[in-house]
Amino acid sequence: MTASLDKGLTSEGLDFIRAIVEADLRSGKCDRVIVRFPPEPNGYPHIGHAKSSTLNFGLAAKYGGTCNLRFDDTNPETEEIEYVKAIKRDLRWLGLEWDDNEFYASDYFEKLYEWAQVLIRNGKAYVDDLSEAAVRAYRGTVTQPGRESPFRTRSPRENLDLFERMRRGEFADGARVLRAKIDMAHPNMKMRDPLMYRIRHATHYRQGDGWCIYPFYDWAHGQSDAIEGVTHSICTLEFAVNRPLYDWYLDALEISPRPYQYEFARLNLAYTVTSKRKLLQLVGEGHVDGWDDPRMPTLAGIRRRGITPQAIRSFCEAVGTTKVDSISDPSLLEHTVRHDLNDKAPRVLCVLRPLKVTLTNYPATKRETLNAPYWPHDIGREGSREVPFSGSLFIEKEDFSDDPPKGYRRLTPGATIRLRYAYVIRCDDVVRNADGDVEELLCTWFPETKSGTTTSGPKPRGTIHWVDASNSLPCEVRLYDRLFGAVLPGDGTSDFKDDLNSKSIEILSDCRIEPSVAADKTDSRYQFTRLGYFWQDPEVSRPESLVFNRIVALRDTWAKLTARTRRHDVPDVEPKSPTLRQRERKMPRLDSEAERWVERAVLTWKLSRQDAAVLATAEGAAAFFEEAAQIAKPNAVANWMVNTLLPARKGKPVHGSEVGPKDLAAVVALVDSGRITTRTGRAILGQMLESGGSPEQLAAERRREAITDPEALIPVVEDLLEAYPDKVQAYRDGKKGLLGFFVGQVMKATRGKARPQLVKELLHERL
Ligand code: ATP
Ligand code: MG
């Protein structure tokens, strides 16, 4: 699909990473791009890795550079060769190629060791004997500086000796560590004498027992980049705080030319977990059928489900590369998958829950083969197959009702319906079993209504799919739904596994499919008419027992807009007027304790004196602030407390409500990162004060309502086109200016919430 989301592109249409790379090539900061994709072989790669790898390999391809595949294998306890193999296989499947540029951080252990010795000699690293717990205690907190270890002043000579003995295995696990000597009072906790090496007497899957000291991520990563001559080291946003340390090591070693780190937002999918730790739990505890379970967000699962690598690449492209964290709705992925398969997957007939139909006037020995096109007209592809037909058929149980709801366009007693590619039939009689369940329909066949011939005979009220009873193949079909029922599984305090969707798989074992599929290769993907896209499960399907996975349903099963969840009508929390705020700001009179806190706040968090004074005097506000400020930007937190939260509490203590420090911080962070507007932030806060809830979830709900979801928009677009047939015709006849009219109508219908770009795209598809 074409790019449809707001991706923060430059005026040249570049995302920020490409813009940086182009600028660096232009200025000569580098003359060739070298990037890397650095997976840790501690689990199977997932859709987030698809994002990161296609980004990096894509950069190399676009700018004629190189992308290395580097296994970031510095932790002997969790890494395995099985994962290395899975990562390589799945990246190849995605279409990525790295030739000989396959590297392992563990192969650099010797070089890293030498560099550590350089730092020690220069007085920039030391061996520390503090216990793990003591190291942690000495680090201080965000608000308090750390303390220096008593071992920090060891001489380089003593440090070199101890470090060598660490390597030789003279000490037990955890007895000593090597640390960089930076600054124990540094405002960035990562810079408070970070650990470089730990002792672990463990067997490494690649290095065996060659080492018993292992480098930490920050020490290994930048230096590995440097060894490979990487120019742009691209990682996800959470590593932004590590960047000063990344730079410090490279500067301390005076490496030149050197790599630079850039961070982009990770890909997050609603209703999905992508932490390898959590995926490992799902597999290990048997919640799913292995790493390649078709419900898993792993590339192995996605592949087995039947999604193509092209669809995954388009999805990653559509999500874009930004500096703003967001959560993508799976419907965007589903939309991409359908788009990908629409003109790749021939149409065939399959009945999931068969109901027997007997054509009472069809000659008992008569057999026909009907010619049925594989493709609908608008695809413009040639090709057809033969479909057997007789007086004994199956239709979908759901396609018959003797108590139909209004507007039912399928079969009912006395009604006529067209069988796709075949004839019109009329239901005359219903045969029931002893329990009263419908067992068989007795119908009249209208020979004059054969598809493709002149249309005479009774008019059908709709078209349904079917298969021949004896000339169809039995098969099993597996229908999948989201693995989790919650937007953010485990959000809040609950275990993420509590949010598993118990209906994420439905296995139908009595299905019947037209026989043409038997002749086809097993990797063919099909559209089962009216049901969705399917393919044979590569792990379990056999010619004698066919098993199909549903890759994705057709759009109409997901018409969500009508079933939109009603939003609680909670008034936004309005900030006070500026004058009122100013008057209050002059007010607080401070005792000496409050005075000291204000001083500290001004120094530590750079708060304005007024804001600090308000926080120092409102009951519990200072402690509340300190906690929230560990998570979100202190200044923004103060601003929100002073102008929004405290006024909303109307003099009641700030900590007595549904909104705790973490909740406020989460709202602030959402606003700060641009994921929601200030206005939405206030609305969410109001909602939380009223009835609790998690900010992430409320924000996600609002986002979903903002209709970034193509599925929700489709019915609106289609209704509109139906309502203006003459305008549609005029457009098709060349009046392209009418597009603006259609977009405007959709925007009106969605009260301005739809994304215009997406609306245009959907209109284009249909017009
Ligand atoms: P996980 O949380 O799944 O363990 P990770 O970051 O620890 O992820 P790595 O194997 O270290 O896993 O990741 C390899 C590369 O893929 C890193 O550069 C990482 O930043 C990137 N990556 C991982 N998850 C995502 C994601 N969801 N979106 C984008 N990039 C990701
Ligand atoms: Mg990692």
mmCIF file of all heavy atoms in Angstrom, residues 38 40 72 217 239 276, ligand 2:
data_model
loop_
_atom_site.group_PDB
_atom_site.id
_atom_site.type_symbol
_atom_site.label_atom_id
_atom_site.label_comp_id
_atom_site.label_asym_id
_atom_site.label_seq_id
_atom_site.Cartn_x
_atom_site.Cartn_y
_atom_site.Cartn_z
ATOM 1 N N PRO A 38 21.308 -5.514 14.843
ATOM 2 C CA PRO A 38 21.982 -6.249 15.918
ATOM 3 C C PRO A 38 21.075 -7.081 16.827
ATOM 4 O O PRO A 38 20.886 -6.737 17.991
ATOM 5 C CB PRO A 38 22.598 -5.111 16.730
ATOM 6 C CG PRO A 38 21.551 -4.016 16.634
ATOM 7 C CD PRO A 38 20.795 -4.228 15.341
ATOM 8 N N GLU A 40 19.793 -9.864 19.435
ATOM 9 C CA GLU A 40 20.373 -10.751 20.438
ATOM 10 C C GLU A 40 19.747 -12.126 20.239
ATOM 11 O O GLU A 40 18.516 -12.243 20.198
ATOM 12 C CB GLU A 40 20.068 -10.229 21.848
ATOM 13 C CG GLU A 40 20.722 -11.113 22.889
ATOM 14 C CD GLU A 40 20.509 -10.651 24.327
ATOM 15 O OE1 GLU A 40 19.895 -9.596 24.530
ATOM 16 O OE2 GLU A 40 20.967 -11.380 25.221
ATOM 17 N N ASP A 72 24.242 -9.837 18.682
ATOM 18 C CA ASP A 72 24.659 -9.130 19.884
ATOM 19 C C ASP A 72 24.674 -10.164 21.013
ATOM 20 O O ASP A 72 23.781 -10.211 21.836
ATOM 21 C CB ASP A 72 23.622 -8.029 20.149
ATOM 22 C CG ASP A 72 24.229 -6.879 20.917
ATOM 23 O OD1 ASP A 72 25.351 -7.041 21.425
ATOM 24 O OD2 ASP A 72 23.579 -5.834 21.004
ATOM 25 N N TYR A 217 26.053 -4.522 27.700
ATOM 26 C CA TYR A 217 25.575 -3.995 26.425
ATOM 27 C C TYR A 217 26.253 -2.683 26.023
ATOM 28 O O TYR A 217 26.765 -2.549 24.920
ATOM 29 C CB TYR A 217 24.054 -3.799 26.481
ATOM 30 C CG TYR A 217 23.506 -3.074 25.273
ATOM 31 C CD1 TYR A 217 23.129 -3.778 24.142
ATOM 32 C CD2 TYR A 217 23.388 -1.683 25.265
ATOM 33 C CE1 TYR A 217 22.652 -3.117 23.017
ATOM 34 C CE2 TYR A 217 22.918 -1.013 24.148
ATOM 35 C CZ TYR A 217 22.549 -1.723 23.029
ATOM 36 O OH TYR A 217 22.087 -1.065 21.926
ATOM 37 N N PHE A 239 16.878 3.850 24.126
ATOM 38 C CA PHE A 239 18.323 3.947 24.271
ATOM 39 C C PHE A 239 18.850 5.382 24.192
ATOM 40 O O PHE A 239 20.057 5.600 24.226
ATOM 41 C CB PHE A 239 19.021 3.068 23.227
ATOM 42 C CG PHE A 239 18.890 1.609 23.531
ATOM 43 C CD1 PHE A 239 17.904 0.847 22.921
ATOM 44 C CD2 PHE A 239 19.707 1.005 24.475
ATOM 45 C CE1 PHE A 239 17.745 -0.495 23.234
ATOM 46 C CE2 PHE A 239 19.559 -0.335 24.799
ATOM 47 C CZ PHE A 239 18.578 -1.087 24.168
ATOM 48 N N LYS A 276 10.573 -10.296 23.880
ATOM 49 C CA LYS A 276 10.980 -11.696 23.735
ATOM 50 C C LYS A 276 10.795 -12.476 25.034
ATOM 51 O O LYS A 276 10.479 -13.656 25.019
ATOM 52 C CB LYS A 276 12.442 -11.770 23.277
ATOM 53 C CG LYS A 276 12.565 -11.568 21.767
ATOM 54 C CD LYS A 276 13.992 -11.738 21.319
ATOM 55 C CE LYS A 276 14.766 -10.468 21.596
ATOM 56 N NZ LYS A 276 16.108 -10.487 21.026
HETATM 57 MG MG MG B 2 18.216 -5.752 23.045
#
